[in-house]
Amino acid sequence: MNIALIYDWIAFMGGGERVLSNLIELYPEAPVYTILCNKSKIEEPIKSANVITSYLQKNGKEISNHRRLFPFMPTAIESFDLNAYDVVLSTSSCVAKGVITKPDCVHICYCLSPMRYAWEFSYETANQMAGKNKLVNKFLKYFLTFIRMWDYDSAARVDYFVAISNHVAKRIKKHYHRDCAVIYPPVRCDLFHPSEIDGDYYLCVSRLQEYKRIDLAIEACNRLKKRLVIIGTGPDEEKLKSMAGPTIEFLGRVSDEETKKYYAECKAFLFPGEEDFGITPLEAQASGRPVIAYGRGGALETVIEGKTGIFFPEQTVESLIAAISRCESMKFDKEFLRKHAEEFDVPVFKQNIKKFVEEKTKEYNGIINKNECINN
């Protein structure tokens, strides 16, 4: 089986890049086609993989603000010549699914999310990028209409979709009118372990962006005068620091060893945003710690109410405060938390993906061969 892996872009290591890393381990001979790759910010096994970038990254020069290239990404992803491959496995939250393949090549898309800024976040995207400039805002809305058309049309190039959660599967059905299987992303359970030390702090591990709603966690802990440790960086860092009281600690980027320790000793993990899936709540559970999560999105599929965490129903400070207070009156079984996280472990993910690719490749080849017989 001659297979190629496709990814949107590799600007830094995040949840999607962890998924890609597992696919590279599963298919080590497969090249990785992507819009751009910032080699100084990536880790193994991506660093050693055969990564092929688009014409948008000239001479391998690193690109600090990849989002400015967004208008050119559809044509860049279409520029790759994939005629040598029998199987294409794309991992996509934006344009990767838009690659062009030959008729007898099966294209399987592991969909992290339909393109959010083309659909649900289109108004927010236009408003944020344009600011108070009404003319730019109007232009962006026209441009996003074109992007929606391309996104919908390019979804037809995929032979089989796989969603990372039932939440994403519903959005694929809504936007692309396609049914799909669900295979949950992997959590690296071997990196995390429960601890007998019970710390006095709550924890957030997140990129500091607006939709992550770390502001809710900060304000709740400000009012309760509870200690909150925040690991991660992002564009909202200064804004969030300005609203933080004396009990809030920003650690920025820390090593894996430090992160593991903070996970293992926290009182609970706070997850106030709405995510398509969310790896970090499972990392907390693998560390034997409960999760306090907003009760929408992927968290509903990874957290068991009352057993591995609790949900707060409204995305407000008051609702989160009530959940924190309720959590402090409850006891959670660390061993049960760990066993639940192991259901999403790396070997489970690899086995499920490998089986799906093999079955669908066989099915697709059967369809192609049948059509050839009919035509002959």
Side-chain angles (χ1 to χ4, degrees):
M1 182 169 62
N2 196 7
I3 185 170
L5 303 177
I6 319 295
Y7 195 73
D8 292 315
W9 54 77
I10 311 171
F12 48 78
M13 292 301 295
E17 287 71 24
R18 301 296 179 194
V19 171
L20 177 62
S21 295
N22 280 279
L23 295 177
I24 291 171
E25 289 171 351
L26 193 58
Y27 303 105
E29 301 301 319
V32 179
Y33 290 83
T34 185
I35 297 290
L36 62 93
C37 179
N38 291 337
K39 291 186 176 181
S40 70
K41 297 180 181 178
I42 61 175
E43 301 170 5
E44 296 294 352
I46 300 176
K47 187 167 285 189
S48 297
N50 178 17
V51 178
I52 301 166
T53 57
S54 74
Y55 64 82
L56 293 180
Q57 188 171 32
K58 297 179 180 178
N59 303 318
K61 185 178 180 181
E62 298 205 351
I63 298 172
S64 58
N65 183 12
H66 62 278
R67 290 178 178 83
R68 66 184 174 83
L69 299 175
F70 177 59
F72 311 102
M73 288 183 179
T75 53
I77 205 72
E78 291 176 346
S79 70
F80 291 126
D81 181 359
L82 302 175
N83 285 332
Y85 303 102
D86 307 309
V87 180
V88 161
L89 178 55
S90 63
T91 303
S92 182
S93 63
C94 190
V95 297
K97 71 181 187 316
V99 291
I100 297 172
T101 60
K102 62 183 181 180
D104 56 349
C105 172
V106 58
H107 179 182
I108 299 168
C109 175
Y110 188 62
C111 187
L112 307 176
S113 169
M115 197 187 297
R116 277 185 171 273
Y117 22 85
W119 301 99
E120 296 96 327
F121 288 176
S122 60
Y123 292 103
E124 291 89 340
T125 300
N127 292 336
Q128 287 174 7
M129 293 179 70
K132 296 181 180 180
N133 191 319
K134 293 182 179 179
L135 183 61
V136 173
N137 188 289
K138 190 172 183 179
F139 169 77
L140 284 170
K141 287 178 179 177
Y142 277 117
F143 172 71
L144 288 171
T145 295
F146 159 75
I147 287 296
R148 273 190 294 276
M149 293 168 62
W150 181 88
D151 191 51
Y152 180 80
D153 288 344
S154 64
R157 302 172 190 173
V158 176
D159 299 301
Y160 301 98
F161 271 104
V162 184
I164 64 170
S165 65
N166 290 302
H167 179 66
V168 169
K170 290 177 183 177
R171 294 175 55 229
I172 290 172
K173 182 69 172 178
K174 176 71 173 179
H175 299 318
Y176 302 151
H177 301 164
R178 299 285 297 275
D179 294 319
C180 63
V182 173
I183 297 176
Y184 292 121
V187 59
R188 298 170 296 168
C189 287
D190 62 326
L191 294 182
F192 305 95
H193 301 282
S195 171
E196 295 302 317
I197 300 173
D198 297 326
D200 65 345
Y201 60 91
Y202 290 94
L203 179 68
C204 287
V205 179
S206 174
R207 183 148 175 83
L208 304 183
Q209 291 179 276
E210 187 173 3
Y211 79 93
K212 301 285 189 179
R213 298 309 311 268
I214 304 301
D215 58 305
L216 292 180
I218 291 172
E219 187 55 38
C221 290
N222 278 343
R223 293 191 197 179
L224 291 170
K225 294 182 171 52
K226 300 288 185 182
R227 187 179 170 208
L228 172 64
V229 173
I230 301 171
I231 295 175
T233 61
D236 275 14
E237 187 169 350
E238 292 307 315
K239 176 184 174 183
L240 293 172
K241 284 182 175 179
S242 70
M243 64 182 292
T247 62
I248 315 299
E249 300 174 43
F250 289 83
L251 301 186
R253 290 184 182 275
V254 301
S255 68
D256 286 347
E257 286 300 316
E258 289 179 279
T259 302
K260 286 192 293 184
K261 187 175 187 298
Y262 279 106
Y263 267 128
E265 298 177 10
C266 69
K267 294 176 73 172
F269 185 79
L270 304 186
F271 193 66
E274 180 181 345
E275 295 276 8
D276 295 316
F277 181 71
I279 291 290
T280 52
L282 283 167
E283 293 177 341
Q285 291 170 76
S287 306
R289 297 298 168 174
V291 178
I292 301 174
Y294 176 46
R296 290 195 64 178
L300 292 172
E301 300 176 51
T302 60
V303 178
I304 304 173
E305 173 71 35
K307 292 187 176 182
T308 70
I310 60 173
F311 297 110
F312 58 98
E314 298 176 358
Q315 213 169 26
T316 64
V317 174
E318 291 74 18
S319 187
L320 177 53
I321 286 174
I324 291 172
S325 299
R326 186 157 64 95
C327 185
E328 292 194 340
S329 68
M330 301 171 66
K331 289 186 177 181
F332 294 89
D333 185 333
K334 293 179 183 178
E335 185 177 344
F336 183 87
L337 282 155
R338 172 73 186 185
K339 285 187 179 300
H340 176 63
E342 287 174 349
E343 296 176 13
F344 301 83
D345 206 353
V346 169
V348 177
F349 169 77
K350 287 183 177 179
Q351 180 181 351
N352 289 338
I353 283 288
K354 189 171 187 288
K355 181 181 177 183
F356 187 89
V357 170
E358 289 174 353
E359 288 180 350
K360 294 307 177 184
T361 299
K362 184 177 180 180
E363 178 182 296
Y364 186 80
N365 288 337
I367 293 170
I368 293 295
N369 292 335
K370 182 179 178 181
N371 288 340
E372 287 178 352
C373 289
I374 291 172
N375 291 332
N376 290 333

